[in-house]
Structure formats: C-alpha cells, structure tokens
C-alpha cells in the first residue's frame, strides 16, 4: 500500500481490531511482493505482545561499547513475530508523522553529515547530551502523545501501540518497575522524534532568540553561533536547562562541551571547523590497514585489524567481521563526508579495490573457488561463542518412484539465532563426533556470498601472518602521515 492509503486507514481506526486489520493488510502486501506465504497476525498475538509484563518473549538485551567509554544497553525484539509487528507499526507511524526540521537522526534524507552541515564554520559549537534518553520516555507519555495530532488515535488503539512499543524496566534507583521505551526496537527511533517535537520547537525558539543555530540528532543536541552566549550562569544556559527539565529530560553534564574556532570542532563525529571532514585518526586507520595489506599480505592486515575492531565495538555480531566489508563501509562513510571527488578518498578507494580484487583472486584460486575468511577449531569456536555445533542427517524420503537420499547439515546458535552451516564431504560419519579433528570457517563463495563450512582441521591450510617489524612499520606509517 502507498503511504497515503496507510495514513487514511490509520486515521479511521477505532479499536484494536481495526489496528490488527491494517497490520495484516500491510503484511499481506509484503508477502505478495516477496512471493511468500501470508500468515496473518492474530488478535491473541497482539494482546500478548502489547503487555510489557510479558518480558521474556518480547526482548533480549546485550551491550555494545560506546566511543566515549562504557557500554550502551541495547534491547532488541527476541522473536520474529514480535519484531514484524513492531516493523509494521513503524510503517503506520511513518505514514502519519514527519519529523521536525531540527531532527536529524532517524529521518529519511538526513544523517550525521546533514546535521554537521548546519554548524559549519561557526566560532562556537556547543554539544550536549541527554542522559538515559530512551528510558526517560515512559509508556504513559507515548500513550498520551498518540491521542494528539497528527495521530488522533482512540484510547484503545493508543493503548495497544504504546504497550507494543514499551518494555518493563527497573533501575537500581527505582522502587517500582517503570514502563519505558527500549533502545533497539524498530519503533523506538521514530517515537523519540515524536516525543521530542515540543522540545525541538522550544529549543529552536530559544536559538532564534539568541541568534543561534540548533539541531538534534537523537539525544545529541547542538547549538552554534559566531558570538558567545554560553557563559555557565548566563541567561541562555538558565533558559536551556529550564526547557530541558520541563520536557522531562536530563542533561548529561559529563558530555557537555563548548568548542571554539581553532580547536577540533566536532558535531556527531564530523569535523566542522572550515569544511566537513573526518578525524585524522579515521583516515590513518584505513591507510594503515591498506598499507599493511599491500606490504605484508591479507593475513597480517587482518591480524592487525581484528583486535582493534573488537576493542572498539565491544562485541562482534554473527561471528567474524569481514575486513573487506568493514573497509568498504568505512570508505563509503569517508565519501559521504568528504565528497566523491575528494583526493584522499579517491586514493584510498583505488588502493582498496586493487587489493580486494587481488586477494579474492588468490584465495579463491587456491581453495576451489572458496574464500576462507577465518578458520577456528570447532571446540575453540564453541567455547568462545558459548554455543554447540550440531551435525545431523535428514531422513531418506520416498517421492514417487524416486528415493530422496539423506543429506548432512549442521547448525549452531549465535547471538540468539540459529545459523546453518555446510559440512565438507571429506568428513566421514565416524569423524562427525570427533570435534577435536574438525574446524569451522567463515567463507565466501564465488559470488561473494557468505556462508559457514565445517571441515577437517588439516583440510584447509590457513597461513599465519608474516612477522612484522613493528619499529620499521611504525616509522613507515609515521612517514605516511606527512604525505
């Protein structure tokens, strides 16, 4: 369905049955478009999942490392049905709501780059962060907001949507559990912008009064100007604190900083002093990995890349990160910030494409068309990922006059999801239980599609990285910085 049609049907909803009908219409359209079987949501499912007290089957939690230090708690839907419900609720909300001109995050056509552009070339840039942003937004507040324009939902519909989108939460400081917005649900980003509409209007009015520029990217608020109105006890700060407190948010004092011209002025990770740019360290990291890759080979580059990547992320989703994909993503971001004709981007991207093509050709030629990204003994893989690799056989089946033979397959759980793996034909049935003889590899096929393969340890030779002269390497990398 088109956005306008969804919006019209949403505005005519009177109860949860109407909401269920609309969710199923959107889901059915998706099923037809994807050529899949349509299995409608049921009223029983909606009733169950809109109760935040049903915590176990709704959400799972994990931590990711913050750039500023510490960890951020992410709460993501635990199962497919609940996640799909939230995705279709998100479509309904997006059909009715357009974020304010000051909201740069979670908005189509806007990004950290468009956010940074608003503050380019200013003498003063003030950054501040809202503390515990998502848990600060409670279910009652969402319920009330959904009954106002542009939604105007009846109480029953607002009840269901608010219940679906919130979770039961209890902090150490809370005497009783609260029902709040989780960070990690498909509906949470747009709801933060919906709730912050009034905050944006009032802070934009404050900015206009003092002759400032204002934007908000999620919980990251930025003001900038050519003149200084940011005295700690001045009129601007007094009014700013009053507005934010009145909107039931709290400033994170540890992340508040005033950046003056001449220093490294940064807005949502983008440098804004004279022109949009990335931090020098960002370019240096890409250049270092490409240099090691070219001089010492792919394995040496990967051994240098992986510990830093894991330290920065604090976790690694779905197993081993792909160095080629990560570098490609970093270069795409560099192009987005600096522009596709930037000389630094063009030089690094050209080098990357040559090395990626050469490495793929070498690896696939040596391994029958398979690119082995990383190989780990199965016992070590199971211990590291707290999982169990299971090898099984399907049953023989008689289909007409033909007997369909049994087929071997494998699977394991990773990040709460079942992951399938192929099993090398050289492994015999007697060797299947002897995991000390087996290894598992993260691979890419001839079409560059990822898959997992279980094989004998000695079947694949993974060469250790060539030794690197660290002193020589550091001298060479330092010299590169002056180029």
């Amino acid at each position: 369905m088109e956005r306008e049609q969804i919006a019209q049907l949403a505005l005519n909803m009177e109860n949860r049955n109407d909401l269920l009908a609309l969710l199923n219409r959107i889901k059915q359209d998706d099923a037809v478009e994807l050529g899949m079987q349509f299995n409608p949501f049921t009223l029983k499912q909606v009733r169950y999942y809109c109760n935040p007290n049903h915590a176990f089957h709704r959400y799972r939690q994990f931590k990711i490392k913050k750039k500023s230090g510490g960890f951020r708690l992410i709460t993501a839907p635990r199962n497919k049905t609940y996640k799909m419900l939230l995705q279709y609720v998100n479509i309904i909300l997006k059909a009715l709501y357009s974020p304010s001109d000051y909201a740069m995050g979670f908005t189509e056509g806007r990004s950290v780059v468009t956010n940074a552009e608003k503050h380019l070339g200013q003498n003063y840039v003030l950054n501040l962060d809202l503390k515990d942003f998502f848990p600060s937004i409670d279910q009652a507040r969402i319920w009330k907001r959904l009954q106002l324009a542009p939604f105007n939902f009846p109480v029953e519909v607002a009840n269901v949507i608010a219940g679906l989108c919130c979770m039961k939460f209890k902090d150490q400081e809370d005497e009783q559990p609260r029902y709040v917005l989780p960070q990690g649900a498909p509906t949470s980003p747009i709801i933060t912008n919906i709730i912050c509409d009034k905050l944006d209007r009032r802070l934009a009015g404050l900015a206009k009064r003092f002759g400032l520029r204002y934007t908000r990217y999620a919980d990251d608020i930025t003001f900038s100007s050519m003149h200084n109105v940011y005295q700690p006890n001045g009129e601007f700060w007094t009014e700013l604190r009053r507005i934010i407190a009145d909107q039931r948010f709290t400033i994170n004092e540890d992340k508040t900083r005033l950046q003056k011209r001449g220093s490294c002025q940064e807005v949502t990770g983008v440098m804004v002093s004279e022109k949009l740019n990335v931090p020098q360290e960002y370019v240096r990291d890409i250049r270092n990995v490409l240099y090691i890759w070219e001089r010492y080979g792919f394995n040496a580059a990967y051994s240098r890349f992986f510990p830093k990547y894991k330290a920065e992320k604090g976790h690694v989703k779905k197993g081993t990160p792909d160095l080629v994909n990560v570098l490609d993503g970093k270069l795409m971001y560099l192009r987005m910030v600096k522009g596709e004709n930037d000389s630094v981007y063009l030089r690094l991207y050209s080098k990357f494409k040559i090395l990626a093509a050469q490495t793929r050709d070498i690896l696939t030629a040596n391994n029958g068309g398979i690119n082995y990204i990383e190989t780990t003994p199965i016992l070590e893989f199971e211990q590291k990922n707290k999982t169990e690799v299971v090898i099984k056989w399907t049953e023989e089946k008689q289909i007409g006059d033909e007997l369909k033979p049994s087929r071997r397959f494998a699977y394991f759980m990773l990040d709460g999801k079942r992951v399938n793996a192929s099993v090398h034909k050289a492994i015999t049935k007697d060797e299947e239980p002897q995991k000390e003889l087996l290894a598992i590899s993260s691979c890419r096929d001839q079409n560059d599609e990822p898959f997992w393969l279980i094989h004998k340890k000695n079947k694949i030779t993974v060469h250790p990285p060539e030794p690197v002269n660290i002193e020589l390497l550091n001298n060479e990398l330092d010299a590169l910085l002056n180029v």
Side-chain angles (χ1 to χ4, degrees), residues 5-30:
Q5 187 180 3
I6 295 173
Q8 189 57 49
L9 291 170
L11 290 172
N12 291 328
M13 292 189 300
E14 296 182 357
N15 51 49
R16 68 182 65 193
N17 290 314
D18 293 337
L19 173 61
L20 175 63
L22 180 53
L23 290 169
N24 279 326
R25 283 196 62 175
I26 301 172
K27 185 179 183 182
Q28 186 173 25
D29 280 359
D30 268 4

mmCIF file of all heavy atoms in Angstrom, residues 5-30:
data_model
loop_
_atom_site.group_PDB
_atom_site.id
_atom_site.type_symbol
_atom_site.label_atom_id
_atom_site.label_comp_id
_atom_site.label_asym_id
_atom_site.label_seq_id
_atom_site.Cartn_x
_atom_site.Cartn_y
_atom_site.Cartn_z
ATOM 1 N N GLN A 5 -2.481 5.870 1.508
ATOM 2 C CA GLN A 5 -3.549 4.917 1.805
ATOM 3 C C GLN A 5 -3.436 4.388 3.230
ATOM 4 O O GLN A 5 -4.441 4.263 3.946
ATOM 5 C CB GLN A 5 -3.506 3.758 0.807
ATOM 6 C CG GLN A 5 -4.694 2.802 0.925
ATOM 7 C CD GLN A 5 -4.624 1.661 -0.088
ATOM 8 O OE1 GLN A 5 -3.661 1.557 -0.843
ATOM 9 N NE2 GLN A 5 -5.646 0.816 -0.101
ATOM 10 N N ILE A 6 -2.203 4.087 3.657
ATOM 11 C CA ILE A 6 -1.985 3.629 5.032
ATOM 12 C C ILE A 6 -2.407 4.704 6.017
ATOM 13 O O ILE A 6 -3.079 4.436 7.026
ATOM 14 C CB ILE A 6 -0.507 3.246 5.246
ATOM 15 C CG1 ILE A 6 -0.140 2.033 4.379
ATOM 16 C CG2 ILE A 6 -0.229 2.951 6.717
ATOM 17 C CD1 ILE A 6 1.333 1.690 4.406
ATOM 18 N N ALA A 7 -2.039 5.948 5.709
ATOM 19 C CA ALA A 7 -2.391 7.060 6.603
ATOM 20 C C ALA A 7 -3.897 7.213 6.732
ATOM 21 O O ALA A 7 -4.425 7.416 7.839
ATOM 22 C CB ALA A 7 -1.767 8.356 6.083
ATOM 23 N N GLN A 8 -4.623 7.096 5.622
ATOM 24 C CA GLN A 8 -6.071 7.253 5.645
ATOM 25 C C GLN A 8 -6.733 6.155 6.475
ATOM 26 O O GLN A 8 -7.632 6.415 7.289
ATOM 27 C CB GLN A 8 -6.632 7.242 4.218
ATOM 28 C CG GLN A 8 -8.101 7.609 4.124
ATOM 29 C CD GLN A 8 -8.415 8.977 4.711
ATOM 30 O OE1 GLN A 8 -7.733 9.962 4.402
ATOM 31 N NE2 GLN A 8 -9.419 9.048 5.569
ATOM 32 N N LEU A 9 -6.274 4.922 6.287
ATOM 33 C CA LEU A 9 -6.832 3.805 7.056
ATOM 34 C C LEU A 9 -6.490 3.948 8.543
ATOM 35 O O LEU A 9 -7.312 3.625 9.410
ATOM 36 C CB LEU A 9 -6.300 2.481 6.513
ATOM 37 C CG LEU A 9 -6.811 2.081 5.117
ATOM 38 C CD1 LEU A 9 -6.040 0.878 4.590
ATOM 39 C CD2 LEU A 9 -8.308 1.753 5.182
ATOM 40 N N ALA A 10 -5.280 4.429 8.828
ATOM 41 C CA ALA A 10 -4.865 4.595 10.226
ATOM 42 C C ALA A 10 -5.715 5.647 10.934
ATOM 43 O O ALA A 10 -6.067 5.491 12.108
ATOM 44 C CB ALA A 10 -3.396 4.972 10.286
ATOM 45 N N LEU A 11 -6.047 6.708 10.220
ATOM 46 C CA LEU A 11 -6.851 7.775 10.817
ATOM 47 C C LEU A 11 -8.283 7.337 11.099
ATOM 48 O O LEU A 11 -8.976 7.951 11.911
ATOM 49 C CB LEU A 11 -6.849 9.002 9.899
ATOM 50 C CG LEU A 11 -5.513 9.749 9.800
ATOM 51 C CD1 LEU A 11 -5.584 10.817 8.729
ATOM 52 C CD2 LEU A 11 -5.129 10.358 11.149
ATOM 53 N N ASN A 12 -8.724 6.271 10.436
ATOM 54 C CA ASN A 12 -10.097 5.772 10.618
ATOM 55 C C ASN A 12 -10.181 4.630 11.632
ATOM 56 O O ASN A 12 -11.265 4.074 11.836
ATOM 57 C CB ASN A 12 -10.667 5.316 9.279
ATOM 58 C CG ASN A 12 -10.921 6.487 8.334
ATOM 59 O OD1 ASN A 12 -11.244 7.589 8.787
ATOM 60 N ND2 ASN A 12 -10.768 6.260 7.034
ATOM 61 N N MET A 13 -9.055 4.252 12.245
ATOM 62 C CA MET A 13 -9.078 3.158 13.214
ATOM 63 C C MET A 13 -9.858 3.555 14.458
ATOM 64 O O MET A 13 -9.700 4.673 14.958
ATOM 65 C CB MET A 13 -7.647 2.754 13.607
ATOM 66 C CG MET A 13 -6.846 2.108 12.502
ATOM 67 S SD MET A 13 -5.265 1.413 13.075
ATOM 68 C CE MET A 13 -4.444 2.873 13.745
ATOM 69 N N GLU A 14 -10.683 2.634 14.955
ATOM 70 C CA GLU A 14 -11.477 2.896 16.156
ATOM 71 C C GLU A 14 -11.119 1.970 17.318
ATOM 72 O O GLU A 14 -11.364 2.310 18.474
ATOM 73 C CB GLU A 14 -12.971 2.754 15.840
ATOM 74 C CG GLU A 14 -13.470 3.788 14.830
ATOM 75 C CD GLU A 14 -14.960 3.653 14.561
ATOM 76 O OE1 GLU A 14 -15.581 2.712 15.135
ATOM 77 O OE2 GLU A 14 -15.504 4.472 13.797
ATOM 78 N N ASN A 15 -10.553 0.800 17.001
ATOM 79 C CA ASN A 15 -10.244 -0.158 18.062
ATOM 80 C C ASN A 15 -9.104 -1.074 17.627
ATOM 81 O O ASN A 15 -8.566 -0.937 16.522
ATOM 82 C CB ASN A 15 -11.486 -0.983 18.429
ATOM 83 C CG ASN A 15 -12.133 -1.593 17.199
ATOM 84 O OD1 ASN A 15 -11.460 -2.201 16.360
ATOM 85 N ND2 ASN A 15 -13.447 -1.419 17.069
ATOM 86 N N ARG A 16 -8.748 -2.038 18.494
ATOM 87 C CA ARG A 16 -7.621 -2.927 18.206
ATOM 88 C C ARG A 16 -7.892 -3.837 17.010
ATOM 89 O O ARG A 16 -6.953 -4.259 16.332
ATOM 90 C CB ARG A 16 -7.266 -3.757 19.440
ATOM 91 C CG ARG A 16 -8.316 -4.780 19.854
ATOM 92 C CD ARG A 16 -7.895 -5.507 21.114
ATOM 93 N NE ARG A 16 -7.821 -4.604 22.243
ATOM 94 C CZ ARG A 16 -7.254 -4.909 23.410
ATOM 95 N NH1 ARG A 16 -6.701 -6.095 23.575
ATOM 96 N NH2 ARG A 16 -7.244 -4.034 24.395
ATOM 97 N N ASN A 17 -9.162 -4.137 16.747
ATOM 98 C CA ASN A 17 -9.472 -4.955 15.570
ATOM 99 C C ASN A 17 -9.135 -4.208 14.275
ATOM 100 O O ASN A 17 -8.649 -4.805 13.308
ATOM 101 C CB ASN A 17 -10.953 -5.353 15.575
ATOM 102 C CG ASN A 17 -11.286 -6.343 16.671
ATOM 103 O OD1 ASN A 17 -10.574 -7.316 16.882
ATOM 104 N ND2 ASN A 17 -12.365 -6.088 17.402
ATOM 105 N N ASP A 18 -9.390 -2.903 14.263
ATOM 106 C CA ASP A 18 -9.023 -2.103 13.095
ATOM 107 C C ASP A 18 -7.511 -2.040 12.932
ATOM 108 O O ASP A 18 -6.984 -2.096 11.808
ATOM 109 C CB ASP A 18 -9.590 -0.684 13.223
ATOM 110 C CG ASP A 18 -11.113 -0.653 13.152
ATOM 111 O OD1 ASP A 18 -11.688 -1.606 12.593
ATOM 112 O OD2 ASP A 18 -11.706 0.313 13.666
ATOM 113 N N LEU A 19 -6.810 -1.910 14.051
ATOM 114 C CA LEU A 19 -5.342 -1.899 14.006
ATOM 115 C C LEU A 19 -4.824 -3.231 13.471
ATOM 116 O O LEU A 19 -3.926 -3.262 12.613
ATOM 117 C CB LEU A 19 -4.778 -1.626 15.396
ATOM 118 C CG LEU A 19 -3.259 -1.755 15.554
ATOM 119 C CD1 LEU A 19 -2.531 -0.764 14.642
ATOM 120 C CD2 LEU A 19 -2.845 -1.558 17.012
ATOM 121 N N LEU A 20 -5.384 -4.339 13.967
ATOM 122 C CA LEU A 20 -4.974 -5.665 13.501
ATOM 123 C C LEU A 20 -5.224 -5.813 12.003
ATOM 124 O O LEU A 20 -4.373 -6.334 11.265
ATOM 125 C CB LEU A 20 -5.739 -6.740 14.275
ATOM 126 C CG LEU A 20 -5.509 -8.191 13.838
ATOM 127 C CD1 LEU A 20 -4.052 -8.587 14.056
ATOM 128 C CD2 LEU A 20 -6.447 -9.131 14.601
ATOM 129 N N ALA A 21 -6.366 -5.341 11.527
ATOM 130 C CA ALA A 21 -6.689 -5.441 10.101
ATOM 131 C C ALA A 21 -5.677 -4.668 9.252
ATOM 132 O O ALA A 21 -5.244 -5.142 8.192
ATOM 133 C CB ALA A 21 -8.101 -4.924 9.845
ATOM 134 N N LEU A 22 -5.298 -3.489 9.720
ATOM 135 C CA LEU A 22 -4.333 -2.686 8.964
ATOM 136 C C LEU A 22 -2.952 -3.334 8.978
ATOM 137 O O LEU A 22 -2.274 -3.377 7.939
ATOM 138 C CB LEU A 22 -4.263 -1.270 9.553
ATOM 139 C CG LEU A 22 -3.279 -0.304 8.866
ATOM 140 C CD1 LEU A 22 -3.524 -0.231 7.367
ATOM 141 C CD2 LEU A 22 -3.388 1.087 9.496
ATOM 142 N N LEU A 23 -2.532 -3.832 10.112
ATOM 143 C CA LEU A 23 -1.247 -4.526 10.188
ATOM 144 C C LEU A 23 -1.204 -5.708 9.219
ATOM 145 O O LEU A 23 -0.197 -5.936 8.534
ATOM 146 C CB LEU A 23 -0.993 -5.017 11.618
ATOM 147 C CG LEU A 23 -0.708 -3.949 12.679
ATOM 148 C CD1 LEU A 23 -0.743 -4.562 14.075
ATOM 149 C CD2 LEU A 23 0.641 -3.283 12.427
ATOM 150 N N ASN A 24 -2.313 -6.445 9.145
ATOM 151 C CA ASN A 24 -2.358 -7.611 8.255
ATOM 152 C C ASN A 24 -2.415 -7.217 6.781
ATOM 153 O O ASN A 24 -1.885 -7.922 5.926
ATOM 154 C CB ASN A 24 -3.538 -8.513 8.618
ATOM 155 C CG ASN A 24 -3.229 -9.417 9.801
ATOM 156 O OD1 ASN A 24 -2.089 -9.852 9.977
ATOM 157 N ND2 ASN A 24 -4.224 -9.682 10.619
ATOM 158 N N ARG A 25 -3.029 -6.093 6.466
ATOM 159 C CA ARG A 25 -3.041 -5.633 5.081
ATOM 160 C C ARG A 25 -1.636 -5.267 4.619
ATOM 161 O O ARG A 25 -1.225 -5.588 3.500
ATOM 162 C CB ARG A 25 -3.966 -4.427 4.920
ATOM 163 C CG ARG A 25 -5.438 -4.790 4.893
ATOM 164 C CD ARG A 25 -6.282 -3.667 4.348
ATOM 165 N NE ARG A 25 -5.957 -3.323 2.959
ATOM 166 C CZ ARG A 25 -6.619 -2.442 2.235
ATOM 167 N NH1 ARG A 25 -7.652 -1.805 2.762
ATOM 168 N NH2 ARG A 25 -6.271 -2.183 1.002
ATOM 169 N N ILE A 26 -0.888 -4.602 5.486
ATOM 170 C CA ILE A 26 0.499 -4.243 5.149
ATOM 171 C C ILE A 26 1.353 -5.503 5.017
ATOM 172 O O ILE A 26 2.151 -5.645 4.089
ATOM 173 C CB ILE A 26 1.085 -3.304 6.223
ATOM 174 C CG1 ILE A 26 0.253 -2.031 6.330
ATOM 175 C CG2 ILE A 26 2.530 -2.951 5.891
ATOM 176 C CD1 ILE A 26 0.646 -1.137 7.501
ATOM 177 N N LYS A 27 1.149 -6.442 5.965
ATOM 178 C CA LYS A 27 1.912 -7.681 5.933
ATOM 179 C C LYS A 27 1.582 -8.501 4.684
ATOM 180 O O LYS A 27 2.477 -9.074 4.051
ATOM 181 C CB LYS A 27 1.623 -8.509 7.192
ATOM 182 C CG LYS A 27 2.481 -9.767 7.307
ATOM 183 C CD LYS A 27 2.174 -10.534 8.584
ATOM 184 C CE LYS A 27 3.109 -11.734 8.700
ATOM 185 N NZ LYS A 27 2.826 -12.542 9.916
ATOM 186 N N GLN A 28 0.311 -8.535 4.295
ATOM 187 C CA GLN A 28 -0.091 -9.288 3.106
ATOM 188 C C GLN A 28 0.525 -8.689 1.843
ATOM 189 O O GLN A 28 0.987 -9.418 0.959
ATOM 190 C CB GLN A 28 -1.616 -9.316 2.984
ATOM 191 C CG GLN A 28 -2.115 -10.207 1.849
ATOM 192 C CD GLN A 28 -3.627 -10.357 1.864
ATOM 193 O OE1 GLN A 28 -4.336 -9.493 2.378
ATOM 194 N NE2 GLN A 28 -4.122 -11.457 1.337
ATOM 195 N N ASP A 29 0.570 -7.375 1.765
ATOM 196 C CA ASP A 29 1.200 -6.726 0.614
ATOM 197 C C ASP A 29 2.674 -7.097 0.524
ATOM 198 O O ASP A 29 3.203 -7.334 -0.567
ATOM 199 C CB ASP A 29 1.054 -5.206 0.720
ATOM 200 C CG ASP A 29 -0.315 -4.729 0.274
ATOM 201 O OD1 ASP A 29 -1.134 -5.579 -0.123
ATOM 202 O OD2 ASP A 29 -0.576 -3.518 0.335
ATOM 203 N N ASP A 30 3.330 -7.130 1.660
ATOM 204 C CA ASP A 30 4.735 -7.529 1.678
ATOM 205 C C ASP A 30 4.905 -8.969 1.211
ATOM 206 O O ASP A 30 5.836 -9.291 0.460
ATOM 207 C CB ASP A 30 5.299 -7.384 3.095
ATOM 208 C CG ASP A 30 5.923 -6.025 3.328
ATOM 209 O OD1 ASP A 30 5.844 -5.176 2.416
ATOM 210 O OD2 ASP A 30 6.483 -5.795 4.417
#
